[in-house]
Amino acid sequence: MKLHYEWDSEVIRIEETANGNDTEFTIELMGQKPHDEALRLVQTYFESNKVHTDVLLYAYPDHRYRVIVRKDYYEEFLLELMKHKLLRALEWK
C-alpha cells in the first residue's frame, strides 16, 4: 500500500520525487500568508526533535520550497502537512 494525498491547487502545488532513501518535495505556496506560516510550523516541528536529518526544508523566493524527507519520516511529514491544512486528504491505497 502507498500513502495517497490530495491538495487544493489554489493553495499549494506539490511535486514528489524519489531520491535514493529520501523523498524530495518541491512545494509552491500560492502566495497566501497563512500557508507560509503553516509550512514554517511544519519546519519547526521537525527542527525541534532530536533527529537533525529527518526533514530538511530549504526556502526559495516566491513561496517556493524544497523539502528532503528521510524515508522513515515520510508518513509523519505528510501528517504534519495535513495537520496544518496544507493537504486536503490523506489515505492508504
Side-chain angles (χ1 to χ4, degrees):
M1 286 198 327
K2 181 170 170 44
L3 199 52
H4 175 75
Y5 54 92
E6 296 176 10
W7 62 89
D8 182 348
S9 62
E10 293 183 15
V11 172
I12 189 171
R13 290 191 187 131
I14 301 174
E15 292 180 25
E16 177 181 333
T17 314
N19 183 2
N21 287 331
D22 300 329
T23 302
E24 282 193 33
F25 292 88
T26 301
I27 296 176
E28 179 182 2
L29 299 173
M30 307 316 290
Q32 298 175 15
K33 186 175 179 170
H35 304 296
D36 281 323
E37 181 60 27
L39 195 57
R40 276 194 276 286
L41 290 172
V42 171
Q43 180 180 16
T44 300
Y45 171 82
F46 286 103
E47 287 179 347
S48 68
N49 68 15
K50 294 180 182 182
V51 181
H52 299 288
T53 59
D54 51 0
V55 174
L56 303 173
L57 193 142
Y58 302 95
Y60 295 94
D62 299 326
H63 310 281
R64 295 176 190 264
Y65 301 85
R66 178 175 167 229
V67 185
I68 302 171
V69 180
R70 233 172 63 181
K71 184 179 182 178
D72 50 340
Y73 284 88
Y74 179 83
E75 291 88 359
E76 189 172 350
F77 174 69
L78 293 177
L79 286 169
E80 280 298 305
L81 291 179
M82 182 74 169
K83 175 181 168 182
H84 293 285
K85 298 181 173 73
L86 292 170
L87 297 179
R88 265 199 311 203
L90 188 59
E91 66 178 310
W92 290 103
K93 286 193 174 188

